[in-house]
């Protein structure tokens, strides 16, 4: 079974804090993705990575960065969290042509 | 649980009915499409996929139909059950195997 895990299910941070969201897959997948999901807007791609140390911007990269130092781990970084980054964050990993998702991290920025 | 369903189109059916969820896609060059199911508080779960060289694909209780002429996908769920209640998303594959998602449809199944 494809298994994608995310470090936290719920997270509360303050405006201006640096936030790390971690995603891990143990299936040796090359491609990994970060999305945010907001009511009425669906899933929007923030960043993706197709190999270690490789990253590409998605549709809404502003305010975010990513890190892929090891194949199994893809981190999303909010350098200075803002209230408009309150959202559900979803990580996915690719096998074949199908993306499989983690359970999500619900982030609240106060 | 959290609501991802605000402002979503909603389909309400009775248990045992067949459900049809529709989706329009934008890129006529897309060659791969997926349907996902998302239950409240969980990540999207893969249901079924279809390539552009097919117009129909069947799984267990689900069928996906693809009409490339009008850029339309549909997901049919046979004998809908309360456990099918969720938000359903279609997605089309882009470059680097990225996905562009539709806004989703909420399916509500009444016993």
């Amino acid at each position: 079974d494809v298994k994608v895990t995310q470090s936290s299910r719920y997270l509360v941070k303050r405006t201006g804090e640096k936030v790390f969201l971690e995603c891990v897959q143990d299936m040796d997948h090359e491609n990994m993705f970060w999305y945010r999901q907001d009511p009425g807007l669906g899933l929007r791609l923030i960043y993706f990575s197709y190999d270690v140390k490789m990253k590409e911007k998605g549709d809404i990269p502003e305010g975010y960065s990513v890190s892929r130092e090891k194949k199994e781990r893809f981190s999303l970084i909010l350098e200075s969290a803002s209230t408009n980054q309150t959202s559900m964050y979803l990580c996915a990993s690719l096998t074949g042509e199908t993306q499989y998702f983690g359970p999500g991290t619900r982030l609240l920025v106060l | 649980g959290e609501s991802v369903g605000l402002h979503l189109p909603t389909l309400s059916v009775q248990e045992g009915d067949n459900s049809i969820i529709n989706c329009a896609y934008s890129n006529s060059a897309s060659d791969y499409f997926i349907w996902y199911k998302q239950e409240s508080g969980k990540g999207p779960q893969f249901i079924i996929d279809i390539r552009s060289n097919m117009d129909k694909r069947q799984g267990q209780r689900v069928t996906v139909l693809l009409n490339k002429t009008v850029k339309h996908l549909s997901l049919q769920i046979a004998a809908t059950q309360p456990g099918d209640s969720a938000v359903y998303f279609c997605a089309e594959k882009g470059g680097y195997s990225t996905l562009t998602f539709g806004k989703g449809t909420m399916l509500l199944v009444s016993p």
Side-chain angles (χ1 to χ4, degrees), chain A residues 34-52:
Chain A
W34 273 107
Y35 297 86
R36 65 177 282 176
Q37 184 175 30
D38 302 286
L41 297 176
L43 281 81
R44 293 179 292 166
L45 181 64
I46 305 171
Y47 266 98
F48 64 99
S49 169
Y50 53 89
D51 205 347
V52 174

Side-chain angles (χ1 to χ4, degrees), chain A residues 6-11 88 103-107, chain B residues 2 41-43:
Chain A
Q6 295 183 230
S7 51
S8 305
R9 292 302 307 273
Y10 299 94
L11 213 49
M88 169 75 115
T105 296
R106 171 69 63 178
L107 173 66
Chain B
E2 305 86 4
K42 297 183 178 180

Side-chain angles (χ1 to χ4, degrees), chain A residues 94-110:
Chain A
L94 183 75
T95 180
E97 291 181 289
T98 305
Q99 290 185 25
Y100 289 89
F101 284 83
T105 296
R106 171 69 63 178
L107 173 66
L108 173 62
V109 182
L110 300 174

Side-chain angles (χ1 to χ4, degrees), chain B residues 67-103:
Chain B
N67 184 331
K68 294 181 285 295
T69 303
V70 294
K71 293 190 286 187
H72 183 268
L73 276 169
S74 68
L75 177 70
Q76 301 179 357
I77 304 174
T80 315
Q81 302 167 0
D84 295 326
S85 293
V87 177
Y88 290 80
F89 295 94
C90 67
E92 58 182 305
K93 191 186 85 168
Y96 287 105
S97 293
T98 60
L99 292 175
T100 299
F101 285 82
K103 295 292 189 289

Side-chain angles (χ1 to χ4, degrees), chain B residues 4 8-9 11 21 36-40 45 47 81-89 104-109:
Chain B
V4 297
L8 283 180
L11 175 64
I21 299 171
Y36 287 93
K37 171 188 180 183
Q38 187 175 27
E39 296 173 281
S40 183
Q45 177 188 359
I47 303 174
Q81 302 167 0
D84 295 326
S85 293
V87 177
Y88 290 80
F89 295 94
T105 296
M106 178 174 282
L107 177 65
L108 297 175
V109 183

Side-chain angles (χ1 to χ4, degrees), chain A residues 12-40:
Chain A
V12 180
K13 296 292 181 181
R14 298 216 172 265
T15 301
E17 280 193 75
K18 190 168 186 176
V19 181
F20 292 87
L21 302 182
E22 304 286 338
C23 177
V24 177
Q25 50 88 10
D26 60 358
M27 296 151 296
D28 204 36
H29 292 166
E30 292 178 344
N31 293 40
M32 297 182 73
F33 307 82
W34 273 107
Y35 297 86
R36 65 177 282 176
Q37 184 175 30
D38 302 286

